[in-house]
Amino acid sequence: MAVRAVRGAVQLERDEAGHMDEQVSALLTAVLKRNGLTADDLISIWFTATPDLHSDFPAAAARGLGITDVPLICAQELDIAGAMPRVVRILAHVESDRPRADIAHVYLGAAAALRKDIAQ
């Protein structure tokens, strides 16, 4: 079994805890589904949020999905002029037999514009 990295992002419509939970949960669910993974395949997840998001920790959404025994960490994205606002990104380390080229990176909604080269 190989260790693979899966990227993803979602842009929030507003900075509200419930909305963040809903959108980050949808992102995590899509990452797992599109890559044929379960929570048992997760090694760790890094979450980042743009500096304009303050309502909650993105990792709280993972805990709400029952991902309780996986190391999670949240960090703030760089505050770059002109960057897309209200974005939560993930970098998940997983165990998978899929070749690196077959990993599905998930960019939901407007966040798909961030990485058109790898968004699926």
Side-chain angles (χ1 to χ4, degrees):
M1 186 82 56
V3 174
R4 300 287 182 222
V6 185
R7 292 189 55 180
V10 63
Q11 184 183 37
L12 305 181
E13 295 175 16
R14 58 195 175 280
D15 184 23
E16 294 176 1
H19 180 62
M20 180 181 290
D21 181 70
E22 174 184 288
Q23 295 300 304
V24 174
S25 293
L27 176 61
L28 290 171
T29 300
V31 163
L32 293 173
K33 182 176 180 180
R34 292 183 194 179
N35 287 287
L37 300 168
T38 68
D40 288 338
D41 299 317
L42 294 169
I43 296 169
S44 65
I45 306 174
W46 279 82
F47 295 86
T48 65
T50 51
D52 51 1
L53 294 175
H54 308 280
S55 62
D56 202 358
F57 293 100
R63 300 290 183 225
L65 289 175
I67 301 171
T68 58
D69 62 349
V70 175
L72 308 175
I73 192 166
C74 297
Q76 188 177 79
E77 282 286 330
L78 296 173
D79 191 9
I80 304 297
M84 184 179 285
R86 300 177 317 282
V87 175
V88 174
R89 292 173 174 85
I90 66 163
L91 176 62
H93 298 95
V94 303
E95 292 181 322
S96 175
D97 287 328
R98 287 182 182 223
R100 187 178 301 164
D102 292 345
I103 295 294
H105 304 283
V106 179
Y107 289 76
L108 299 180
L114 295 170
R115 290 299 306 264
K116 292 179 183 177
D117 57 324
I118 64 171
Q120 297 178 358

